[in-house]
Amino acid sequence: KWKGEGTTQNLESVVIGRCYDYIRTVNPAVGEKNCSQIWEAFKNAFINKDPCSILPKDYELFINLSLHTIPPNKSLFWENNQLLVNSFAGRGRRYMALGDTLFGFCGDFLNWCGQANSTGLDYESCPTTEECENNAVESFWRMASITYAQHSSGVIHVLLNGSAVGGAYPDPGFFADYEIPNLQKEKISQIVIWVVDDIEGPDIDSCGSHTVKILENRLKNLGYDVTCTDNYKSVMFLLCLD
């Protein structure tokens, strides 16, 4: 048995349903997509394989089938505040975070893994990232993050948690390791960083200090125009509301 929870029940129905939900109601502008084909490509990335030997490139077909344009100035990267980002982005209405793309929407908050020499899903347990890095879910999000970064353009937004233990900008982390290296510099006009503390939470990190300073320096050294704002009002209002 692995230490992680098993595959989400009814995974096939959930993924296919989310795909149709996305192209019909969430973002019909992406046009027609073949949701059954998208599910098959998703499943074939990890089915019948050792659950610790799944690589990001195994999801290439899934990504190619579900890919669509990410509107300029709408990209919203984040670390340590997924629920806040979901409500702030408003399912693509305000911003289009990774979870608001079709490929991200299909996998958000789900868990899955297969088994070597079996076409079934493992509903009992799946490996955690501590047990093995090349597991089905971790590799999925790496591939999704890389793709999301490559297709982002205009003004790029980054929402970080100033109350996160260890700092707002984790390195290693998805943003540090998979997203920043895959940004297409010629398509990006500015990077806007928002560092927002939890309500009544500790103020561990802020613009110009600790890990945020490391991030600002990294991006400036790469030649980006970077601005940073602490406790950006729009996000604070949302936190207060919650």
Side-chain angles (χ1 to χ4, degrees):
K1 267 181 71 79
W2 301 105
K3 294 199 176 99
E5 58 181 82
T7 299
T8 306
Q9 296 290 333
N10 310 104
L11 184 71
E12 178 176 356
S13 302
V14 173
V15 172
I16 293 176
R18 282 184 176 187
C19 174
Y20 280 119
D21 185 24
Y22 191 89
I23 64 172
R24 297 290 176 252
T25 67
V26 176
N27 189 6
V30 301
E32 275 304 305
K33 299 284 181 190
N34 187 326
C35 291
S36 309
Q37 249 183 352
I38 285 173
W39 159 254
E40 288 299 322
F42 175 78
K43 181 183 73 176
N44 289 335
F46 63 90
I47 213 84
N48 224 341
K49 297 179 190 172
D50 171 354
C52 277
S53 62
I54 315 297
L55 298 173
K57 65 174 172 48
D58 294 333
Y59 288 99
E60 262 172 12
L61 179 58
F62 164 79
I63 291 286
N64 290 340
L65 291 172
S66 57
L67 193 60
H68 57 84
T69 309
I70 296 168
N73 312 319
K74 290 276 190 177
S75 290
L76 177 61
F77 294 85
W78 56 273
E79 287 281 8
N80 297 318
N81 49 22
Q82 185 172 10
L83 295 174
L84 174 61
V85 164
N86 278 5
S87 54
F88 184 52
R91 276 281 167 256
R93 195 173 76 251
R94 297 187 197 95
Y95 296 94
M96 188 179 281
L98 175 52
D100 304 314
T101 64
L102 173 55
F103 48 97
F105 192 77
C106 283
D108 228 7
F109 298 107
L110 302 179
N111 212 42
W112 63 88
C113 65
Q115 308 162 61
N117 310 318
S118 157
T119 55
L121 300 165
D122 190 340
Y123 291 102
E124 295 300 309
S125 65
C126 289
T128 62
T129 302
E130 287 68 47
E131 288 175 287
C132 60
E133 286 205 352
N134 294 331
N135 67 61
V137 175
E138 183 79 8
S139 290
F140 173 88
W141 287 113
R142 287 178 183 175
M143 187 66 188
S145 291
I146 289 165
T147 306
Y148 180 70
Q150 287 171 340
H151 289 85
S152 291
S153 64
V155 180
I156 303 293
H157 308 84
V158 187
L159 181 55
L160 301 175
N161 185 341
S163 300
V165 178
Y169 167 62
D171 185 9
F174 274 84
F175 185 54
D177 298 342
Y178 300 100
E179 292 170 338
I180 293 175
N182 285 290
L183 292 172
Q184 308 293 298
K185 187 162 182 309
E186 67 285 353
K187 297 197 299 192
I188 292 166
S189 55
Q190 190 181 35
I191 298 183
V192 174
I193 302 168
W194 295 316
V195 185
V196 176
D197 299 331
D198 295 335
I199 300 287
E200 295 175 0
D203 176 11
I204 294 174
D205 218 338
S206 45
C207 295
S209 66
H210 303 303
T211 68
V212 183
K213 188 175 179 63
I214 294 169
L215 170 61
E216 291 175 85
N217 289 341
R218 177 179 178 184
L219 294 173
K220 283 172 183 165
N221 289 338
L222 289 169
Y224 290 106
D225 172 15
V226 181
T227 67
C228 186
T229 305
D230 284 314
N231 291 324
Y232 179 57
K233 269 240 168 63
S234 301
V235 181
M236 293 304 288
F237 289 146
L238 202 51
L239 279 173
C240 291
L241 193 63
D242 286 344

